[in-house]
Amino acid sequence: MPDSPDRPVRVASGQGFWGDWQEAPKLQVRRGPIDYLMLDYLAEITMSILEKQRERDPTAGYARDFVDMVLDLAPDLVSEGIRVVSNAGGVNPDACRDALVQRLADVDTVRPLRIATVRGDDLMSRLDEVLAAGHELRNMETGEPLSTVRERVTAANAYMGAGPILQALRQEADVVVTGRSTDTALTYGPLIHEFGWKADDWNRIAAGVVAGHINECGAQACGGNTLFRWRELDLIEPGYPIIEASADGSFVVTKHASLGGRVNWASVTEQLVYEMGDPTEYITPDCVADFSTIRLEDLGDDRVRVTGVEGRPRPELLKVSIAYRGGYKATGTLTYSYPDAYEKAVAADRVLRGRLDRLGLEFDEIRTEYVGAGACHGPLAGPPDPSVPEVELRISVRGEDRARVKRFTRELAPLILAGPPTVTGFAAGRPRVHEVMAYWPALIERDVVESVVQVEVTEA
Amino acid sequence: MKVPLWRVAFARSGDKGDTANVGLIAFTESVYPFLVDNVTADKVKQHFKDICRGSVDRYELPNLRALNFLLHESLGGGGTVSLMLDAQGKTFSAALLRMEVDVPEELVHEADEVSGWSERLE
């Protein structure tokens, strides 16, 4: 909590996706003062993975790493007054809360932790009811109504904005666990709460959205994945971004001084353009932010000031992220060595495809790539170098019939003895068959979601 | 002088469904107008002709001296449907930087000071 009205509110980023660096949240909490720790776990496809886990186990379906992290940090959170805001709840925020309550019983803190859970984003359990009420959930890209794939849908979640996070913070939650909140709301929710910005203060909320966009990919704003003077950076223990926000909506992006990486105009600009669509129309549930109004000022010493952000009124509709079963796929790889590595890999591909043909195996797609010979950039990489030390043949198939995809996975290993020479890289065994989860973006009226959102606070 | 884009700009790319985005950022204020004039949506479409099956949109961000490109139908269906090694277009930034542009020599040298190439080329 800010102790004086002039002190900025510090929102630190601790995770940019599920699977991000486990040490980052601890370093954010322990290497310097912060007020809030935001942890983003959810990408477009994460919800369907979590839904699959919940199908098998009703107490699963959230980011389990998060529970370990909160347990480890609980004494620090209480003593330093740091609050955690996270979408770790996935498709089962209640189960996440239950796990926290159970395991926090053994952790010694001077007072209990207040844990808030946010429910209501999950449309899966009432999908037929929603469709029957006339919401067609048409695919934003193709225009098709969801009824065409209804039987294959595995997860459907609306993107919630800051509303429920604000409710939770007003009820003095130490830890806020949401489901499908937008990544940016995890940062601007706390800012609206601290500064009391009005719901139609579009410019300030848009500034919070920009802050959230900078925070949501972790170290990417601090020199991670940067092309700008990347050789100069020490990324063994990289800093993660910290937003130092002021009541007027301006803020400074920085990092703890003792951590590596770099915050400068380049690192912040790179993150700003990451996954950018139309920059004048960055749509969130709480406003539309205009990234063409952002002003950056590099203050040196790993500090960049952001001012001038303008926003427009929030949209009438909320985005819904839907996943549906889209068949099966598998990828196999083999490595061919010098000399003529590329030529051997091409010959092996020809043999493999010939065998698939004779087996009568057809797929929706077969794709061959040559890693080390243009797999990333295609013909832009120029012709393959005949003296390249090795080339990895990477061949993938996708189709509706699981048995056919599985049969394909048995055709890789035979190439070792019954294919072109000097091949290795098969120690991992047969490729695994993966179920494809296709993505279906749609829109829905706010009321359908907001009328059922619930915030519950539990002490642990 | 003719130089690859990486001499005067850097970039970051990512995905939204089957669309890849590439944000191209000029090293210096003086180079940015050359990017605006030379790195058009049509040229980027031509550059990515073997990767991008759809159209290319371009947005200008003079405040960040950046251009944002959307490359539609470029990721093999996107998400988990895609069979591509780079299903999220993470390396498209570097692919765009292969493009050749014509920039006055003194501006290239100015950019080299910012990018660090002046030290590396010595």
Side-chain angles (χ1 to χ4, degrees):
Chain A
M1 285 291 157
D3 27 44
S4 87
D6 300 330
R7 187 169 83 55
V9 172
R10 295 163 299 204
V11 183
S13 164
Q15 293 278 280
F17 68 103
W18 191 14
D20 200 359
W21 192 38
Q22 298 284 293
E23 300 307 305
K26 298 174 208 168
L27 293 170
Q28 290 293 61
V29 166
R30 292 172 183 156
R31 288 292 180 89
I34 61 169
D35 302 300
Y36 289 87
L37 178 66
M38 65 74 74
L39 304 167
D40 175 27
Y41 286 93
L42 303 181
E44 282 172 355
I45 59 157
T46 317
M47 299 303 269
S48 63
I49 297 167
L50 291 169
E51 186 60 47
K52 266 188 176 178
Q53 292 180 0
R54 181 170 70 169
E55 273 173 29
R56 286 194 294 264
D57 174 1
T59 68
Y62 60 90
R64 286 179 194 267
D65 305 348
F66 173 73
V67 176
D68 295 327
M69 212 166 281
V70 171
L71 238 63
D72 187 33
L73 289 173
D76 305 78
L77 300 179
V78 172
S79 65
E80 303 300 319
I82 297 167
R83 307 168 86 177
V84 175
V85 183
S86 175
N87 53 18
V91 299
N92 206 348
D94 286 351
C96 182
R97 187 258 332 270
D98 293 345
L100 277 171
V101 169
Q102 190 192 356
R103 293 183 57 197
L104 277 167
D106 302 327
V107 177
D108 199 18
T109 53
V110 290
R111 65 165 174 82
L113 244 66
R114 291 173 63 80
I115 299 163
T117 44
V118 176
R119 282 186 295 261
D121 61 302
D122 192 349
L123 296 173
M124 193 60 203
S125 56
R126 55 193 186 106
L127 193 55
D128 291 317
E129 180 195 323
V130 168
L131 291 170
H135 306 283
E136 291 183 295
L137 297 171
R138 286 179 181 273
N139 188 311
M140 288 167 71
E141 282 158 14
T142 66
E144 282 179 280
L146 186 68
S147 53
T148 56
V149 297
R150 168 65 191 96
E151 295 314 310
R152 293 193 279 152
V153 173
T154 58
N157 297 80
Y159 281 84
M160 297 180 291
I165 294 170
L166 289 176
Q167 280 187 50
L169 294 174
R170 281 187 200 122
Q171 294 176 56
E172 296 177 359
D174 297 295
V175 178
V176 182
V177 180
T178 78
R180 185 62 276 192
S181 280
T182 58
D183 309 345
T184 51
L186 304 174
T187 294
Y188 69 77
L191 299 183
I192 296 173
H193 172 70
E194 290 285 342
F195 297 127
W197 292 337
K198 294 204 169 62
D200 62 353
D201 194 345
W202 311 119
N203 290 346
R204 286 186 179 137
I205 295 172
V209 169
V210 173
H213 184 84
I214 291 168
N215 256 353
E216 76 183 29
C217 294
Q220 260 202 161
C222 298
N225 189 27
T226 188
L227 276 166
F228 184 87
R229 289 178 174 257
W230 62 269
R231 292 175 181 83
E232 298 165 11
L233 297 180
D234 178 358
L235 294 175
I236 293 173
E237 230 175 32
Y240 273 51
I242 299 170
I243 301 296
E244 295 180 355
S246 301
D248 66 1
S250 67
F251 60 91
V252 169
V253 188
T254 188
K255 67 175 186 67
H256 288 320
S258 64
L259 297 176
R262 175 179 58 207
V263 178
N264 67 357
W265 70 273
S267 76
V268 173
T269 304
E270 270 189 305
Q271 176 53 26
L272 285 173
V273 298
Y274 180 64
E275 291 184 348
M276 171 62 50
D278 177 348
T280 65
E281 293 248 322
Y282 190 102
I283 301 169
T284 78
D286 297 298
C287 76
V288 177
D290 182 350
F291 276 44
S292 73
T293 59
I294 296 170
R295 296 278 171 268
L296 297 185
E297 188 188 351
D298 193 329
L299 306 173
D301 295 326
D302 292 308
R303 295 176 68 77
V304 172
R305 183 186 299 285
V306 180
T307 55
V309 183
E310 292 177 18
R312 298 193 297 278
R314 67 181 203 180
E316 290 303 312
L317 303 171
L318 294 181
K319 192 170 171 186
V320 182
S321 159
I322 299 166
Y324 64 100
R325 297 182 203 281
Y328 298 87
K329 67 174 183 177
T331 296
T333 59
L334 289 169
T335 301
Y336 292 86
S337 89
Y338 176 92
D340 308 314
Y342 172 70
E343 212 184 323
K344 290 169 187 163
V346 170
D349 179 58
R350 199 162 49 234
V351 170
L352 179 52
R353 284 176 183 251
R355 288 179 188 164
L356 296 178
D357 271 350
R358 291 192 189 188
L359 288 165
L361 289 178
E362 286 180 4
F363 298 98
D364 293 343
E365 188 184 357
I366 306 181
R367 182 181 177 89
T368 306
E369 293 171 311
Y370 300 97
V371 182
C376 290
H377 293 174
L380 285 170
D385 174 1
S387 69
V388 67
E390 59 267 327
V391 166
E392 183 185 78
L393 168 68
R394 182 180 192 275
I395 180 159
S396 309
V397 302
R398 178 167 51 78
E400 291 292 326
D401 184 0
R402 191 176 195 284
R404 277 187 209 171
V405 176
K406 192 168 164 101
R407 186 68 184 79
F408 156 79
T409 66
R410 303 191 171 191
E411 289 301 322
L412 268 295
L415 287 169
I416 299 158
L417 300 185
T422 61
V423 58
T424 186
F426 42 79
R430 280 180 190 151
R432 280 186 55 198
V433 176
H434 296 274
E435 185 167 22
V436 173
M437 282 298 160
Y439 180 62
W440 183 287
L443 295 169
I444 199 164
E445 284 71 15
R446 279 177 177 273
D447 272 3
V448 178
V449 181
E450 290 177 349
S451 60
V452 299
V453 168
Q454 287 179 309
V455 177
E456 189 185 338
V457 178
T458 312
E459 291 205 339
Chain B
M1 67 192 285
K2 282 211 187 315
V3 290
L5 260 181
W6 54 255
R7 274 293 284 280
V8 293
F10 59 112
R12 177 168 290 172
S13 53
D15 69 314
K16 272 275 181 278
D18 199 20
T19 298
N21 101 293
V22 185
L24 179 71
I25 307 157
F27 282 124
T28 61
E29 214 48 75
S30 59
V31 157
Y32 180 66
F34 285 87
L35 300 187
V36 173
D37 288 348
N38 292 295
V39 192
T40 60
D42 285 347
K43 274 203 184 153
V44 171
K45 168 68 189 174
Q46 179 60 24
H47 184 71
F48 280 99
K49 63 180 187 299
D50 295 304
I51 292 173
C52 177
R53 298 201 167 93
S55 58
V56 171
D57 296 324
R58 187 182 88 163
Y59 299 94
E60 294 177 28
L61 284 158
N63 56 320
L64 301 174
R65 54 178 189 248
L67 296 172
N68 186 40
F69 297 94
L70 297 186
L71 280 58
H72 300 287
E73 296 170 59
S74 300
L75 297 173
T80 69
V81 174
S82 177
L83 299 181
M84 289 168 68
L85 175 64
D86 189 9
Q88 292 171 302
K90 296 271 188 188
T91 69
F92 285 22
S93 52
L96 177 60
L97 294 175
R98 291 171 176 274
M99 186 192 279
E100 200 169 64
V101 283
D102 203 351
V103 182
E105 191 169 348
E106 68 271 20
L107 299 190
V108 174
H109 294 313
E110 270 180 50
D112 286 344
E113 294 297 318
V114 175
S115 67
W117 276 101
S118 48
E119 299 139 49
R120 291 175 55 78
L121 292 171
E122 268 166 22

